[in-house]
Amino acid sequence: MSVFILSNRRILMENGKESFSNEEISLPNFRIAKCNFDGWKEPTKEELKKKNYKGRAILNYKILSEPQKSGYQDVLEVLRKEKKLAESKLTSANLGGTQKMFYDLYKEMSATKQRNDVLIFIHGYAYDFDEELQSILELKKMYIDNPSSPVNHILFISWPASSSVFPLTYFDDKASSINSGNSLLRLFYFYIQFMKDIFSEKDLAPCHQRIHIIAHSMGNRLLQSMLYSLKTENITRVIDQVILLSADVSFRVFEESEESFVKLPKLANRVTVYVNRKDAVLAISQFSKNILSPRLGKMGPSTFSKITDIISVVDCTEVKNDLKTSFKFQVGSHWNYLSSSEVQGDIIAVLNDIDQKLIAKRKKMGDQSYLLA
């Protein structure tokens, strides 16, 4: 099990260690940290109330060193050495950044034929870094600790959203999500290069595990920014499931003229859009900042175009928020992937690649459209 943080937040020194900042400043590139769960314990109510419950008091992590040189030939050299195919002075300790992350994931994912999938999670707006660390803990419980889930690794995309959910911060977060989308695009190209470099060695076989993407709220804007810049001829289908939650992007993103989400079926095997028509946060987004542009997570796509066999829409407007009962979750209806056991169960079924028509508690409403209740 591995959990990595990929962040373009500013880095500062804290108690002699490199740490990610809570500041709302986005940098051009991701730095990578690996989370350490050794000795982690569920905090008590008293600990949660303390002012020092922040940063590594929430979750310990270590920012990886930068690689000494670009590319993945050093990773290939280390892997060939470990398989006794060649001699080298290099070890995994010499690897940094994406080299170390891809190396660790490849080693762990190759160790078993059982499901050992990777989940890339992109959060929405109104998160500071401490809230992101708490979100990582919730995601670990939902997807790694859950025996029904195929996920055993998480890559958490940390981008510097503001700490307020109110409209005045919206445009700052929108700009930051666009910048972070460019960083995500570079990560995609790094991964393609890693596969080309490593699997040029015939004795190193692909692990045959799967990679999924979940984007929540304005995290979909980050994904859209990446897709805008991704040239169609460079797309390789390396993602299994893409899940779009409470998507704060236009409902026209699947139209050919948008040149963004229409590319998803070329990147992924299946795309699932979760819709909530009572989403109060998306209603505010539409009527205060995106006039005449209905939100995908509230209305669903304007059209399926020619790709209805790849894209499915799940209407979860009527699901119960039975897991979290605070005002934010009951009234906002924007975080039902956290607050509803029905939505969580449906997402797990999607990640397990169960046939859309066979997923429990769904009612078929039309071509690739379902009601979850």
Side-chain angles (χ1 to χ4, degrees):
M1 182 271 289
S2 292
V3 177
F4 290 92
I5 302 170
L6 290 80
S7 182
N8 60 344
R9 290 180 176 274
R10 194 169 74 87
I11 292 178
L12 48 79
M13 295 301 294
E14 190 174 72
N15 298 323
K17 295 180 180 180
E18 284 189 321
S19 299
F20 291 118
S21 169
N22 268 317
E23 296 175 3
E24 299 162 19
I25 300 173
S26 61
L27 301 179
N29 297 308
F30 284 135
R31 286 291 301 272
I32 300 172
K34 189 170 186 179
C35 296
N36 178 12
F37 293 91
D38 293 342
W40 185 86
K41 295 180 180 179
E42 190 80 37
T44 64
K45 290 183 179 180
E46 291 72 23
E47 288 173 324
L48 290 173
K49 292 179 181 179
K50 291 181 179 178
K51 292 183 179 180
N52 63 353
Y53 185 71
K54 57 186 179 180
R56 287 183 172 81
I58 301 172
L59 176 61
N60 191 22
Y61 63 92
K62 180 181 179 181
I63 298 178
L64 304 181
S65 63
E66 291 282 67
Q68 296 177 1
K69 58 184 180 181
S70 61
Y72 299 97
Q73 290 302 311
D74 283 357
V75 182
L76 177 60
E77 189 172 325
V78 171
L79 290 171
R80 294 185 76 241
K81 173 187 176 181
E82 292 175 349
K83 282 187 169 288
K84 302 189 184 305
L85 299 172
E87 294 183 358
S88 174
K89 294 181 179 179
L90 290 179
T91 69
S92 61
N94 298 111
L95 305 177
T98 57
Q99 295 174 346
K100 176 62 173 169
M101 180 178 72
F102 291 151
Y103 167 85
D104 284 355
L105 289 172
Y106 175 72
K107 292 283 288 185
E108 292 187 47
M109 295 168 73
S110 301
T112 176
K113 293 183 179 180
Q114 297 177 341
R115 283 290 163 86
N116 202 358
D117 295 354
V118 172
L119 172 62
I120 301 172
F121 187 89
I122 311 172
H123 69 80
Y125 64 96
Y127 275 80
D128 63 23
F129 185 67
D130 289 340
E131 289 171 321
E132 290 175 357
L133 291 175
Q134 294 177 53
S135 180
I136 288 171
L137 294 174
E138 292 198 81
L139 293 171
K140 179 178 178 291
K141 289 179 182 177
M142 284 190 287
Y143 298 115
I144 294 179
D145 299 343
N146 184 346
S148 300
S149 169
V151 172
N152 199 35
H153 313 280
I154 294 174
L155 307 187
F156 187 90
I157 306 300
S158 158
W159 58 280
S162 66
S163 57
S164 171
V165 75
F166 292 101
L168 287 176
T169 66
Y170 183 90
F171 285 127
D172 290 338
D173 282 0
K174 191 171 183 178
S176 184
S177 70
I178 294 171
N179 294 338
S180 302
N182 294 329
S183 299
L184 189 62
L185 178 63
R186 282 190 287 274
L187 176 69
F188 174 77
Y189 285 136
F190 287 156
Y191 176 62
I192 298 301
Q193 188 61 51
F194 170 80
M195 290 196 297
K196 289 179 179 178
D197 288 351
I198 299 307
F199 301 133
S200 64
E201 171 59 65
K202 62 180 180 180
D203 293 303
L204 295 174
C207 62
H208 299 299
Q209 306 293 346
R210 304 176 305 163
I211 300 174
H212 314 289
I213 294 176
I214 294 181
H216 176 248
S217 189
M218 197 179 281
N220 286 266
R221 187 65 185 82
L222 190 152
L223 181 60
Q224 183 183 32
S225 176
M226 168 192 157
L227 292 168
Y228 269 136
S229 302
L230 185 59
K231 294 183 179 179
T232 304
E233 60 269 23
N234 292 340
I235 298 178
T236 303
R237 183 170 285 173
V238 293
I239 305 298
D240 188 51
Q241 306 291 329
V242 171
I243 296 174
L244 310 177
L245 304 170
S246 306
D248 193 3
V249 290
S250 168
F251 77 146
R252 296 188 176 91
V253 288
F254 285 103
E255 295 180 12
E256 292 284 348
S257 59
E258 279 291 310
E259 298 183 351
S260 58
F261 279 29
V262 73
K263 297 175 184 177
L264 279 178
K266 300 178 185 296
L267 181 69
N269 292 324
R270 186 164 72 175
V271 180
T272 305
V273 182
Y274 285 84
V275 172
N276 189 329
R277 302 185 190 281
K278 296 180 181 178
D279 192 317
V281 174
L282 291 184
I284 293 172
S285 170
Q286 178 181 336
F287 292 111
S288 65
K289 304 300 177 185
N290 295 286
I291 305 299
L292 303 179
S293 181
R295 302 288 87 189
L296 176 66
K298 187 174 173 64
M299 302 298 295
S302 61
T303 178
F304 285 120
S305 188
K306 301 176 182 179
I307 45 181
T308 54
D309 57 329
I310 299 292
I311 301 171
S312 298
V313 175
V314 180
D315 188 332
C316 53
T317 303
E318 301 304 323
V319 300
K320 296 180 180 179
N321 293 316
D322 56 333
L323 299 178
K324 293 182 180 291
T325 56
S326 68
F327 179 84
K328 167 184 173 180
F329 292 101
Q330 293 295 325
V331 177
S333 297
H334 189 63
W335 296 270
N336 50 29
Y337 77 99
L338 293 173
S339 61
S340 170
S341 59
E342 289 180 279
V343 174
Q344 287 189 9
D346 199 88
I347 292 173
I348 292 295
V350 170
L351 293 174
N352 277 308
D353 201 25
I354 295 175
D355 188 292
Q356 296 279 24
K357 301 181 182 66
L358 301 179
I359 296 178
K361 299 185 179 182
R362 283 189 183 184
K363 179 180 179 182
K364 189 171 175 59
M365 303 300 291
D367 291 341
Q368 301 302 105
S369 180
Y370 303 88
L371 178 67
L372 183 62

